[in-house]
Amino acid sequence: MEKIRSLNDKAWFEEVFLIVLTIISLLAWKFNSTIGMVFISVIAATALIIFNDFKYVIPSVLFFIFSNNAGFKTDELPIPLIICAVILIVVMLIFFIRNKPNFKNIKSVRGIALLSISCVIPIFWHNIIPEGKEVFYFLYFAYLLYLVVYLFFASALNKNSFRMLVLSMGYLGIMLAGECVLSVISLHMQTPDGNIFSYWYYVGWGLCNEAGIIMCVALPFVFIPLVRTTEVSKILISLFKFAIIGVGMVLTGSRGTLLFGILEILLLGIWSFIFSKKKMVLGMSFLGLTIAGVLLLIIAFNVKELVNDFSSEFSNFFYDNGRFEIWQWGLDVWRKDFVSMTFGMGQVAEIRFIGTFNGYEDANVVYHSTIFHCMATMGNLGLGFLVMHFIDKYKQISKLSKDIMGLMLIGYIMVDLYGMIDNTYGMYYYMIPLMIIMGTLERVNKEDTIDLF
């Protein structure tokens, strides 16, 4: 047993652990997410029992979320998902019983704590949840859930968890790229005349463009080893991960992902080159990837048709796809009266007959913008709390070394700008990974990131 426990500090073991978890999660997403979630819960429990280290919960929770291929119905509770989630929560509680949680020096919790209060308040005066849609009540406690996730990880992780976070986010990006690849292959088989920009699809837990958002979140973590390692093999492995995620981002067909993702990649690449200990290797690798990408496009696609597809897509680049109307809905909700402007109308501010994973149905409106969504649901008070949270979030990365801080800063800025025109804040698929990231960083200082890669 001691030999097994000694694996806990090995980087190669963490890689193997994550590769196995990624394969299981992707297979679960493709064939049976419930069975996959059970496997993920069992793996998390086993790792916690053997190693008594909470870092193994980082990838377990992340892959648990994104292995869901069934979506959510607004007229029923997702019982299998809840059961699996309860198992995972019980496992974490057992860990807390065995190990005293450390709630000292949790400095970045203020904004999320206040948002969790602001999220609940409007239910007392604006409850429009119809009979049969009781599942919507959970939305009013969403930020409370995010707060709990944050506190769980911030109090249970130690300073050695940073490498697991970095590797987990990289493999999460690979898993999401796999979901997009499999989805596009399936769609292409059904409609061979379509192109990568004409496919608009759900991946169960969310939309294809939402997969693009999370891949943008994952990108900085793939670049972190590039600025730290001196081993050519590790540089090539990280670039291979980046290439897979890049393919996935393109296959989302999302204009937002292409716009903010390409800009993010350029900035991350420049920053990594500046701080890399192997500038020649990295520079040649970037050049090789660019050439390989162009050749792949030429081989895989008819060049003329591909150019036409890109031209058609970007000729409509500034088409709002109904967003201006949705933002107007949010403004109308916000300015209804003094109470709505101050406190908002709640997470279920209005219900409309709109498209969902299960087709068109009466569903809660999400306003496709961090600002407009916060204004409509939590009012000016919530907007103020959101500003506090942003201050906490950006201040937190300032304690990291300059090379890693720059990568994290680029990632945060790009995704937050993306969130101005799409769904990030308030959405579970974004908030839970963010809380895990911030909870991990709560326990990390500059010296804790040295010699990890």
Side-chain angles (χ1 to χ4, degrees), residues 224-231 234-235 276-278 453:
I224 286 175
L226 297 179
V227 302
R228 280 305 172 94
T229 187
T230 58
E231 297 181 34
K234 291 182 179 180
I235 290 175
S276 174
K277 299 177 178 64
K278 292 284 186 178
F453 304 99

Side-chain angles (χ1 to χ4, degrees), residues 105-111 150 386-402 404-406 408-410 412-413 416 425 434 437-446:
N105 299 319
I106 297 180
K107 300 176 181 179
S108 303
V109 71
R110 172 190 59 172
Y150 181 83
L386 184 66
V387 171
M388 292 182 187
H389 160 70
F390 270 84
I391 293 171
D392 293 339
K393 183 175 77 168
Y394 282 90
K395 184 179 178 181
Q396 188 184 53
I397 62 174
S398 66
K399 65 180 180 178
L400 300 174
S401 58
K402 189 175 181 180
I404 295 178
M405 180 192 69
M408 294 294 298
L409 181 63
I410 291 168
Y412 275 173
I413 290 174
D416 286 337
Y425 271 87
L434 177 63
I437 292 168
M438 291 185 64
T440 306
L441 293 179
E442 195 73 76
R443 296 303 176 194
V444 176
N445 291 310
K446 184 187 301 184

